[in-house]
Amino acid sequence: MNYSVEDIQYQFQRLRMTETSKELPAFLRKAESHSWTYQEFLRELLTYEERRREEKMIERHLKMAKFPYQKTLGEFDLKEQPSISERQLRQLSELSWLEESFNLIFLGPPGVGKTHIAIGLGLEAIQKGHRVSFISMGELIPLLKTEEYLRKSQLQMKKIRSADLVIIDDLMYMAMDQNEANLFFHLVNHLYERNSIILTSNKGPEEWGELLGDQGITTAILDRLLHRSEVLHLEGDSHRIKHRETLF
């Protein structure tokens, strides 16, 4: 029975090897021109399929992460931020803390690079196959409050809870009422020792009680966040102000 190239492509599609199916004619031409052996041909096909699946997975995970922008750790200017060393940054980029479900808390005034480092670590995690979810505290609270009755909020919270790394930006940026603090506690409790969390905040944990308004909830949240965590204090002037652009 004779098989056409189209028949073989269809079989690849049925095996969910769509990327290989598309490129099969090009691979066949290359195999002929380079006189590949059967093993060489198969290795080239499988390597290509594996690489494309990995690239597509990274694309999906980047879309899921919802970063406000993409800045790598390599773009972070250590000269502008002496509070963290090159060695510390390299150590964090190895992601051993993520594999051990540790949390990272970046504290410091606005514009010192907290969010940049958090996103850079998120990008590193995605490149290594982890699922990441980024959200600001201002976006998180409305989601938690509407999760009970809005399908869209339910889906977004499901993605956040299923992520290996959850990045919450601008924690304690504004005060919460008791219901909001209680909902946030339940999220932290769910993530505790299941996922890693990166938090950025311009207020230290000692100030969180005032913003949460309930010392009992504050203690419970801190107990879970700080149990297995590394707290890094970033200092200095705002990079945005220092490098601001003007019209005139």
Side-chain angles (χ1 to χ4, degrees):
M1 185 176 180
N2 293 325
Y3 279 91
S4 68
V5 173
E6 288 78 14
D7 291 329
I8 300 170
Q9 284 179 294
Y10 177 66
Q11 285 185 302
F12 273 123
Q13 288 169 13
R14 291 189 63 186
L15 291 168
R16 296 184 181 178
M17 296 176 70
T18 52
E19 298 298 328
T20 299
S21 172
K22 290 177 195 172
E23 294 299 315
L24 183 61
F27 272 108
L28 287 170
R29 289 193 298 272
K30 203 171 179 182
E32 280 187 33
S33 63
H34 289 77
S35 300
W36 284 346
T37 64
Y38 297 130
Q39 283 189 356
E40 287 171 331
F41 180 62
L42 283 172
R43 187 173 65 244
E44 290 289 330
L45 279 182
L46 294 172
T47 300
Y48 176 79
E49 179 70 27
E50 190 176 46
R51 186 174 69 250
R52 283 300 295 135
R53 285 191 182 193
E54 191 174 307
E55 288 168 354
K56 288 181 83 172
M57 179 194 70
I58 288 171
E59 287 169 14
R60 285 197 308 273
H61 286 184
L62 281 172
K63 189 176 179 182
M64 172 189 163
K66 293 190 172 181
F67 295 124
Y69 54 82
Q70 291 184 29
K71 282 190 178 179
T72 66
L73 292 178
E75 294 174 86
F76 188 77
D77 191 349
L78 285 162
K79 293 174 187 173
E80 296 268 3
Q81 183 45 262
S83 306
I84 188 166
S85 68
E86 185 180 351
R87 184 179 181 276
Q88 283 177 309
L89 210 56
R90 281 204 317 269
Q91 201 168 349
L92 290 174
S93 70
E94 290 170 0
L95 303 182
S96 58
W97 53 272
L98 177 56
E99 287 150 18
E100 295 172 20
S101 299
F102 257 70
N103 301 325
L104 299 178
I105 301 175
F106 294 104
L107 302 176
V112 294
K114 303 184 300 294
T115 304
H116 184 158
I117 295 176
I119 289 173
L121 289 170
L123 290 170
E124 289 283 336
I126 286 173
Q127 291 296 326
K128 293 180 181 176
H130 296 286
R131 290 167 298 173
V132 178
S133 186
F134 179 101
I135 191 164
S136 70
M137 196 66 178
E139 294 169 318
L140 178 61
I141 293 302
L143 278 182
L144 289 170
K145 290 171 76 172
T146 56
E147 183 182 9
E148 192 176 338
Y149 55 87
L150 279 186
R151 177 69 174 158
K152 187 178 178 182
S153 298
Q154 291 166 6
L155 291 172
Q156 283 186 262
M157 288 308 305
K158 185 177 179 181
K159 287 178 182 177
I160 289 170
R161 291 190 179 96
S162 67
D164 303 308
L165 171 61
V166 179
I167 302 172
I168 303 175
D169 196 35
D170 282 335
L171 184 72
M172 304 304 166
Y173 181 70
M174 57 185 73
M176 289 185 236
D177 61 33
Q178 189 166 9
N179 178 50
E180 291 168 345
N182 190 46
L183 289 169
F184 182 58
F185 163 73
H186 283 294
L187 174 64
V188 170
N189 191 50
H190 177 86
L191 298 176
Y192 176 58
E193 291 195 322
R194 287 192 185 116
N195 324 58
S196 282
I197 307 171
I198 293 180
L199 304 174
T200 75
S201 180
N202 60 6
K203 293 179 173 63
E206 68 280 357
E207 300 176 80
W208 294 359
E210 297 172 23
L211 294 163
L212 288 167
D214 186 310
Q215 195 54 50
I217 289 178
T218 304
T219 303
I221 288 172
L222 286 173
D223 181 60
R224 285 154 181 78
L225 288 177
L226 298 177
H227 174 217
R228 293 164 60 82
S229 70
E230 187 71 36
V231 180
L232 295 102
H233 294 264
L234 304 184
E235 299 170 358
D237 299 323
S238 169
H239 298 172
R240 289 187 285 271
I241 298 297
K242 197 183 296 185
H243 301 289
R244 71 189 181 95
E245 297 178 7
T246 60
L247 290 174
F248 303 105

